Amino acid sequence: MVVIREREIQTLSAEVESLKNPQNLNASARLEELREENNKLKYRLNILKRGLQEEKTNCSHAMLNINQRLQEVFGEAIRAACPELDNPPLVVAPNQQAKFGDYQCNSAMAMAQMLKAKGMKINPREIAEKIIQNLPDNELVQKTEIAGPGFINIHLKRQFVSKLLSNLLVNGVKPPPLASKKKVVVDFSSPNIAKEMHVGHLRSTIIGESMCRLFEFLGYDVLRLNHVGDWGTQFGMLIAHLQDKFPNYLTVSPPISDLQAFYKESKKRFDEEEDFKKRAYQCVVRLQSKEPDFIKGWNLICDVSRQEFQKIYDCLDITIIERGESYYQDMMTKVVKEFEDKGFVQLDEGRKIVFVPGHSVPLTVVKSDGGYTYDTSDLAALHNRLFDEKADIIIYVTDSGQAMHFQLLYAAGQMIGWYNPQVTRVEHAGFGVVLGEDKKKFKTRSGDTVRLMDLLEEGLKRAMDKLKEKERDKVLTPEELTKAQRSVAFGCIKYADLSHNRINDYVFSFDKMLDDRGNTAAYLLYAFTRIRSIARLANIDEATLKKAAETTEVLLDHDKEWKLGKCILRFPEILQKVLDDLLLHTLCDYLYELATTFTEFYDSCYCIEKDRQTGEVVKVNMWRMLLCDATALIMAKCFDILGINPVDRM
């Protein structure tokens, strides 16, 4: 039905446009007749559009992006008000001050400037008036007002907002409709085999996981890839050392669980012993030739590393598929040949290099000894993701220090014609470094890199200390206390990272992240637990709330009810913004705003009224209980996207 109506709208719109041109119309009577027909068509068109929007709103369980819907409404009005402008600016945003309305359209001033450039001087307020006059019939705007030089303040219909809240409560938190299901590849975490994960891997792992969760919630097909360093010279070095230290490694699994020490020993020998160095290079050649004994030694080292990585991933609830550099080895020859065949490869002192437009530094695709490089494996990985995985979106989550490398990589991919950036989104989501409280790179007192497992264990210890300080050990069962400990420890570590703009460096401080005041996971987890407990205190179970959602109108008469209702429904807008710029701190800021807006509401509006003497519940304001439930639903989904696991009791 929706598709049929959309086609009818397109046909009628074409007819209306054709009637705007009165050329070849000789008789004035015929002209009047056509004008009358034009008006009827416009009337019919508006009814169809309104009906289509109502159908979309009513038949869809998805949450509506109010800002996007307002942009549709005002976009139509702006085009009708100034048809002489190509691509007129469309600026609609939430109003910062409630007294001026709920949203604001700020297009008139920029439109006046565009008209002035065309030699037409029109006051922005006049343009704002014309926009308002051309607003199509719609379901969400109660009234508009012009303020200042030409701002249009927009007031939403309370009944419309109430209806959206009821939809949320009945159907749950559903993502906005997706135009098409795209394939997304996210490359994140990426530790090196034979080396322990350290604090430098923390940001990539946490940010990448959260991005995947966002794309998955929105309905995309997501492939999470761990591009581990599992190939190259260091493996010849490690295998040569393995042969010396554990000559029977093929039959008895050697105790190399402390890979860090094993790596340091082999590196020392590689730097100091010329014979060992030669043998290490020979081992690399034999590994690349895939001799069984060398593959077995390599697999052994990789497996020990994987087990250690998995401990970290289990703590942080990370899901990821390993595809290391070794995965792309057989693809690299074809990639180099393709660049050669298209004339992009130059010889430079035995190396094969590729220059890309706008860059003075080349990619090295083959070394002087005939070996491949990181550039080659990354080109092969990009080709694989574009052509084999058929990805529409590829995100690389690494530190900002690698920005230049990825700029070269993407430019090379575009130069050779692998993808068009207008069609396929390939992006480097770079991030700053983790600093200690001294504002220097985060290290141990001895100057070593901080082991990630040590950091997580310290987080668990401090979280338990915090819970005991609040005497939660006296009211929670041992099982509940352990759940709360893990929720607080890992939730705080994740949120401290995600709540900062990823582009910037950030200071790691356990004291700040475990503070239950301000924009921290500790505060938000406690707030969420309190909201969830309100229904329990009133002896209202989930089934009762569900039934009430279907029959009870969510009243929004009080200013704080109205403010909370609007804040809850901004969730789809926030997700769209994060999807556009991949800056997850926006979602954290929204989560904190929602929690503080709820506190304002709860302090001003009684949800439950108790007898002052007995403490028994004498009255339940069900529509306010539903607002509590809607807040908790959105908070829970925010936590889920951020990879934080709240608990019922804390």
Side-chain angles (χ1 to χ4, degrees), residues 18-35:
S18 70
L19 290 172
K20 284 182 182 177
N21 186 359
Q23 288 177 357
N24 305 322
L25 300 174
N26 300 320
S28 60
R30 174 69 179 145
L31 183 59
E32 282 304 313
E33 186 184 320
L34 286 170
R35 278 181 178 151

Side-chain angles (χ1 to χ4, degrees), residues 628-639:
C628 295
D629 196 36
T631 304
L633 285 171
I634 296 293
M635 285 187 77
K637 183 48 69 179
C638 288
F639 282 137

